[in-house]
């Protein structure tokens, strides 16, 4: 194990705030760029800051980014990742100069792991840089930067502390992420993730189940199991069927109603996982299966160790076992050397796959990956034109697949913040069992105290569709379908919203069981103290 540690002089126009200015707790905001793994890492960062005595910025301050500590959790997967980071940092430079009492800026995540001290060289007003392997150092680096009045850069080369043992500030009380592994053993030529997150390390099943049980005890009724390649889970302890067994075990945790997972890899996806999904009622009929390309020649160049026939065969077996499964995917357009014939194969496989939705990307070279050095990098105009054709095809398929849902009766888990137009449309939003987004109307005569809360389940009938969502206005029709089941999760959300919390928040591996203050669920170590100003 080695660690890169750099200290740089702080710029004169943005000094750290001196200790002892006032006794109020310091506020923080964590801004996340990237994937679900980053979202969950941000929950750990927030949990560690609250353990150290920082408090979340009130909504108005958060919206204005007027905080004592701003943490940016970065992504390095796309070419524009650096542009997003430095755009954010450039805007914050002005805020930092004008903010009374000073402001600290910390940069973590994959781009921090990759660029290291280069971030401070390019943006000298940054106070802290830390990597994907040492999330736990964030509070200490912030205090060291304040004390030394110098930027602190600390990048570990291997995992120091398994993130799931860290304090975690859960943004949702009714649903939560649970990491089953970190890192990846694949060698996809376009992907920089293994270089930045390291080799796969699996958690023991007992630790995972303990965290799930802690989440359920705190009110959650849904969990999503996370890993760079979840169905290779078990490689660390020699059980190639470990993921299917884990699904079954998690699915039987009392009180848990919905289990999801992301993301599997087609090369390692086995039939025992399909059986576990089909035979475990709490495992939801949803699968995210990354295709990347429909061309076998391009898949070979990507080092994706499966071919299109195998991919389509997996989907066929999933649908045979779970007829209403919604399958989503990732597709990359314009990989180096991709011909029009290769792209036509991608269109063919996408048409045959009938994805409910797809995350589509234009290939962007990432320095440090083998694909970045391949010949035949495609012109931007060619990639853009193919991308537009792919998006048009998937939009049509998504619209057709969602139209087939009209008339179905669904159980929707009401969510917080899913529907941006809910206020204007007088609807609420949530996720169906297959993870489709559903906007639903409430009966006109529904009393406020009877309205479903985030975490409650509502049974409705789909009345119309769009490519990216369903609408269920059945409550507005005489005798239309509308049933609310109030849940423990809804109770927990209401308790939090009203400023109290009846649940304990002990950590999955090291919690004390001490009651947490009002606010989002915090799992982990007890608070040790409050930072001084």
């Amino acid at each position: 194990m080695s660690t890169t540690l750099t200290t740089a002089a702080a710029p004169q126009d943005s000094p750290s705030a001196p200790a002892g200015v006032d006794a109020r707790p310091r506020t923080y905001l964590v801004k996340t760029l990237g994937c679900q793994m980053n979202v969950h890492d941000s929950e750990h960062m927030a949990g560690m800051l609250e353990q150290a005595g920082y408090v979340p910025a009130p909504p108005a301050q958060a919206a204005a980014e007027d905080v004592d500590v701003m943490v940016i959790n970065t992504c390095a997967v796309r070419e524009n990742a650096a542009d997003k980071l430095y755009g954010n940092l450039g805007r914050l430079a002005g805020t930092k100069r004008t903010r009374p009492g000073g402001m600290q800026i910390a940069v973590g995540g994959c781009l921090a792991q990759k660029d290291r001290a280069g971030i401070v060289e390019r943006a000298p007003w940054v106070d802290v840089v830390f990597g994907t392997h040492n999330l736990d150092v964030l509070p200490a680096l912030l205090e060291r930067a304040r004390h030394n009045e110098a930027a602190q850069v600390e990048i570990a080369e291997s995992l120091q502390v398994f993130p799931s043992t860290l304090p975690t500030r859960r943004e949702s009380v009714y649903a939560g992420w649970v990491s089953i592994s970190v890192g990846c053993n694949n060698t996809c030529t376009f992907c920089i993730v293994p270089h930045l997150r390291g080799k796969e390390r699996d958690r023991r099943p007992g630790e995972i189940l303990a965290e799930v049980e802690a989440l359920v005890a705190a009110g959650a009724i849904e969990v999503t199991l996370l890993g760079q390649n979840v169905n290779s889970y078990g490689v660390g302890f020699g059980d190639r069927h470990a993921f299917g067994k884990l699904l079954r075990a998690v699915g039987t945790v009392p009180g848990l109603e919905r289990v999801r997972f992301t993301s599997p890899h087609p090369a390692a996806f086995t039939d025992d996982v399909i059986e576990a999904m089909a035979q475990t009622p709490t495992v939801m009929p949803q699968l995210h299966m990354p295709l990347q390309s429909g061309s076998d020649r391009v898949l070979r160049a990507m080092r994706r160790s499966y071919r299109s026939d195998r991919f389509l065969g997996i989907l066929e077996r999933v649908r045979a076992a779970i007829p209403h499964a919604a399958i989503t995917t990732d597709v990359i357009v314009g990989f180096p050397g991709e011909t029009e014939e290769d792209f036509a194969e991608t269109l063919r496989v996408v048409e045959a796959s009938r994805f409910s939705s797809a995350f589509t990307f234009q290939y962007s070279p990432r320095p440090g990956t083998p694909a970045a050095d391949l010949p035949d990098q495609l012109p931007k105009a060619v990639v853009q034109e193919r991308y537009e054709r792919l998006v048009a095809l998937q939009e049509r398929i998504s619209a057709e697949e969602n139209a087939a849902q009209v008339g179905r009766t669904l159980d929707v888990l009401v969510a917080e913040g899913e529907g941006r137009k809910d206020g204007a449309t007088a609807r609420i939003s949530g996720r169906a069992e297959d993870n489709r987004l559903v906007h639903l109307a409430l009966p006109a005569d529904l009393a406020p105290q009877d309205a479903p809360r985030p975490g409650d389940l509502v049974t409705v009938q789909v009345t119309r569709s769009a490519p990216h969502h369903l609408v269920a206005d059945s409550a507005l029709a005489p005798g239309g379908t509308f049933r609310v089941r109030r849940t423990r999760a809804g109770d927990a959300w209401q308790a939090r919203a009203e400023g109290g919390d009846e649940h304990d928040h002990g950590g999955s591996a090291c919690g004390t069981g001490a009651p947490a203050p009002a606010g989002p669920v915090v799992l982990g170590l007890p608070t040790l103290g409050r930072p001084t100003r």
Side-chain angles (χ1 to χ4, degrees):
M1 183 275 294
S2 62
T3 299
T4 301
L5 177 60
T6 305
T7 301
Q12 294 303 306
D13 62 345
S14 57
S16 297
V21 171
D22 61 55
R24 71 174 177 84
R26 304 190 75 215
T27 59
Y28 77 88
L29 176 65
V30 180
K31 187 167 189 174
T32 307
L33 310 175
C35 66
Q36 297 98 327
M37 299 291 285
N38 271 23
V39 172
H40 193 32
D41 282 350
S42 291
E43 291 185 330
H44 296 314
M45 295 174 193
M48 287 183 294
L49 290 172
E50 293 196 14
Q51 175 202 45
Y54 296 83
V55 298
Q61 282 184 262
E65 297 182 343
D66 180 20
V67 295
D68 294 307
V69 173
M70 167 65 83
V71 182
I72 304 178
N73 187 9
T74 62
C75 174
V77 171
R78 309 301 301 154
E79 186 176 25
N80 63 356
D83 295 338
K84 287 184 178 180
L85 170 64
Y86 291 107
N88 276 281
L89 292 178
R91 187 182 65 257
L92 289 171
T95 304
K96 181 171 182 172
R97 281 192 297 267
T98 60
R99 189 175 193 278
M103 175 188 199
Q104 285 187 291
I105 301 171
V107 179
C110 289
L111 197 62
Q113 185 77 25
K114 174 179 174 289
D115 288 359
R116 305 177 180 234
I119 292 173
V120 175
E121 293 170 5
R122 185 167 169 180
W125 54 92
V126 170
D127 299 276
V128 167
V129 179
F130 62 105
T132 58
H133 298 311
N134 58 335
L135 305 182
D136 56 303
V137 302
L138 173 59
L141 292 182
L142 288 168
E143 288 304 299
R144 193 187 306 164
R146 282 161 52 77
H147 180 271
N148 295 345
E149 297 189 353
Q152 303 294 311
V153 179
E154 188 168 317
I155 306 292
E157 301 299 331
S158 60
L159 195 65
Q160 306 300 290
V161 177
F162 206 100
S164 294
T165 65
L166 298 172
T168 308
R169 181 186 190 266
R170 304 276 181 176
E171 286 301 321
S172 170
V173 72
Y174 51 86
W177 310 100
V178 175
S179 292
I180 67 171
S181 63
V182 294
C184 182
N185 292 338
N186 294 316
T187 58
C188 302
T189 56
F190 57 82
C191 185
I192 199 169
V193 168
H195 174 66
L196 300 178
R197 293 213 176 243
K199 292 292 186 181
E200 181 175 327
R201 286 184 59 177
D202 296 333
R203 296 176 70 191
R204 301 300 300 186
E207 296 175 0
I208 296 167
L209 288 170
E211 183 173 354
V212 171
E213 289 166 354
L215 274 171
V216 173
I221 60 173
E222 176 179 298
V223 298
T224 300
L225 305 178
L226 285 181
Q228 298 295 152
N229 178 8
V230 291
N231 54 312
S232 69
Y233 174 75
V235 66
F237 44 87
D239 185 352
R240 63 187 300 267
H241 296 297
F243 183 60
K245 296 174 184 175
L246 181 66
L247 277 181
R248 294 178 188 272
V250 171
T252 60
V253 170
L256 185 61
E257 301 192 27
R258 294 187 170 193
V259 179
R260 306 187 190 277
F261 61 89
T262 194
S263 291
H265 190 294
F269 199 81
T270 51
D271 287 349
D272 66 295
V273 173
I274 299 175
E275 293 170 4
M277 293 174 65
Q279 296 170 8
T280 310
T282 51
V283 176
M284 294 293 95
Q286 170 217 352
L287 179 65
H288 185 75
M289 181 66 72
L291 170 63
Q292 308 302 5
S293 174
S295 163
D296 290 349
R297 193 186 69 80
V298 172
L299 288 172
R300 190 176 298 109
M302 289 178 167
R303 292 186 195 157
R304 300 284 289 180
S305 48
Y306 57 89
R307 301 296 175 255
S308 59
D309 284 350
R310 171 172 170 75
F311 185 92
L312 290 170
I314 292 171
L315 270 54
E316 182 180 357
R317 294 194 297 279
V318 168
R319 288 183 167 127
I322 313 166
H324 290 300
I327 300 176
T328 58
T329 198
D330 301 327
V331 184
I332 296 173
V333 176
F335 188 79
E338 179 189 75
T339 65
E340 181 61 30
E341 291 74 19
D342 292 324
F343 181 65
E345 280 296 285
T346 293
L347 296 180
R348 177 187 69 83
V349 175
V350 168
E351 181 76 69
S353 297
R354 307 297 298 177
F355 300 116
S356 60
S357 65
F359 296 95
T360 51
F361 306 94
Q362 298 184 37
Y363 171 76
S364 58
R366 308 307 298 132
T369 63
D373 298 323
L374 289 175
D376 300 324
Q377 303 281 333
L378 300 186
K380 171 67 175 174
V382 172
V383 178
Q384 180 68 34
E385 189 274 336
R386 290 178 184 172
Y387 176 78
E388 290 173 0
R389 276 192 281 158
L390 173 63
V391 169
L393 171 62
Q394 184 55 53
E395 286 283 297
R396 172 178 64 79
I397 294 171
S398 295
E400 293 169 354
E401 291 297 303
N402 277 0
Q405 305 298 309
V406 174
R408 286 192 64 197
T409 299
L410 306 177
D411 290 330
V412 179
L413 178 61
V414 178
E416 189 173 28
E418 284 273 25
R420 288 175 294 178
K421 298 180 181 179
D422 283 353
T425 62
R427 294 188 178 95
I428 60 174
S429 298
R431 294 283 171 173
E433 290 182 324
D434 63 8
N435 209 39
R436 283 183 168 92
L437 177 62
V438 182
H439 304 302
L440 59 98
L442 301 176
D445 59 351
L446 186 68
Q449 65 270 21
D450 297 327
R453 308 156 298 179
D456 287 338
L457 285 156
V458 183
T459 303
V460 289
Q461 190 173 46
V462 179
T463 53
R464 60 186 175 90
S465 67
H468 303 293
H469 65 266
L470 304 175
V471 175
D473 284 348
S474 54
L476 303 180
T481 302
F482 183 84
R483 295 189 300 274
V484 177
R485 178 159 70 84
R486 298 173 79 81
T487 67
R488 297 180 305 101
D491 294 342
W493 180 89
Q494 183 172 348
R496 187 182 75 181
E498 292 175 350
D501 197 329
E502 63 190 25
H503 299 287
D504 289 345
H505 300 287
S508 60
C510 50
T512 64
V521 178
V522 180
L523 298 175
L525 291 164
T527 297
L528 298 180
R530 185 179 300 283
T532 58
R533 275 196 60 88

